[in-house]
Each structure stands twice: as structure tokens, then as C-alpha cells.
Amino acid sequence: MNLDTFTRAKIAEFAIEQGARYGGVNNMLAVAQVLRNRVFQGWGDWLEVAQSAPAKCATRYPPDIPNMRSGNVRVFLNRLDELYTSEITEDLTGGALFYIDPAFPIEAWFKKEVLNCADDHPRTAHIGPVWFFK
């Protein structure tokens, strides 16, 4: 295994943990796209962004073990390489850097830094129950 493969695995793990609970490929892709947007905005390289992603989760979900053998996870894994190499140019999130599921508890930092600063962080997309913000 090389560092590039490890980095993609970290991105996949995070996106699946965050998005698979909603059942669709788009939710997992959207989480990965948020990470890509963070890279493009200078938050760090792919590995740095993937490693720091849990600290920037605005929604704390209950523990869940996604079904890694589901068809949607397999489709997502096949598309992740395209997202990572920028072959996928469509951004389902509208350039989002953050996301929440308002049905779950929201972290205080997110309320203060994003929700209370709507002019700086507009809502850009809604995929399933998840809201995305710049």
C-alpha cells in the first residue's frame, strides 16, 4: 500500500460512516465532495483534510456500522477514484465546506461559526435530510 491508497481509504471510510446511513450513493459522494472542497480551499492536502474531518463534524451521530457489502457502498467506492482525481467535476454540494443533519444534535461550534454567520456561510444544497453550507 502507498500513501495515496491510504489517503483514499481514509476518505472512503469517513464518507461511508457519515453518508451511508442515508442509503444513497449521493450522500456518500457529497461528504467526499465536502472534503475535496476543503482541499481546494486550502485547508490542507487530502490526507490532512481526511484526518481532521472528524473534528469538523457538526452532527454527532449515534454509533453505526455501515454495510460495506451494500451495492451503494460499492458504487461509491468505484466513483471515489473519479472524485479524487477530479474526473467528477459536478459538485452535488454547491461548493460546501460543512454539513449537518438538523434532526440530530448540532455541535456548538457549528451554531456559532456557521449558522449564526449565514451571510458568510450560506446553505448551498440539501441532499436527503442533510444540509450543506459554504
Side-chain angles (χ1 to χ4, degrees):
M1 177 181 288
N2 60 34
L3 184 59
D4 203 44
T5 303
F6 176 79
T7 301
R8 290 181 198 206
K10 295 291 284 181
I11 294 162
E13 177 184 35
F14 183 78
I16 292 166
E17 286 176 357
Q18 294 287 301
R21 71 185 66 249
Y22 300 108
V25 173
N26 283 348
N27 289 93
M28 293 177 276
L29 277 173
V31 171
Q33 287 174 331
V34 165
L35 299 184
R36 181 177 72 175
N37 293 340
R38 291 175 181 176
V39 170
F40 290 170
Q41 288 295 312
W43 288 33
D45 64 25
W46 278 99
L47 182 59
E48 292 167 330
V49 167
Q51 289 177 320
S52 66
K56 284 296 184 183
C57 285
T59 302
R60 293 294 171 195
Y61 296 108
D64 183 37
I65 299 173
N67 178 0
M68 298 301 289
R69 291 184 174 91
S70 81
N72 285 334
V73 168
R74 290 173 186 248
V75 169
F76 165 71
L77 290 172
N78 286 331
R79 297 204 55 210
L80 180 62
D81 287 335
E82 297 168 3
L83 185 125
Y84 185 81
T85 60
S86 296
E87 290 176 45
I88 294 178
T89 56
E90 177 190 14
D91 185 347
L92 301 171
T93 73
L97 300 172
F98 306 98
Y99 59 92
I100 60 166
D101 180 340
F104 288 91
I106 299 170
E107 294 291 325
W109 70 265
F110 184 82
K111 290 177 185 176
K112 179 181 175 188
E113 295 177 25
V114 178
L115 292 180
N116 291 342
C117 300
D119 290 342
D120 296 330
H121 301 287
R123 195 163 98 180
T124 58
H126 187 132
I127 301 170
V130 181
W131 298 353
F132 293 84
F133 299 85
K134 279 219 178 197

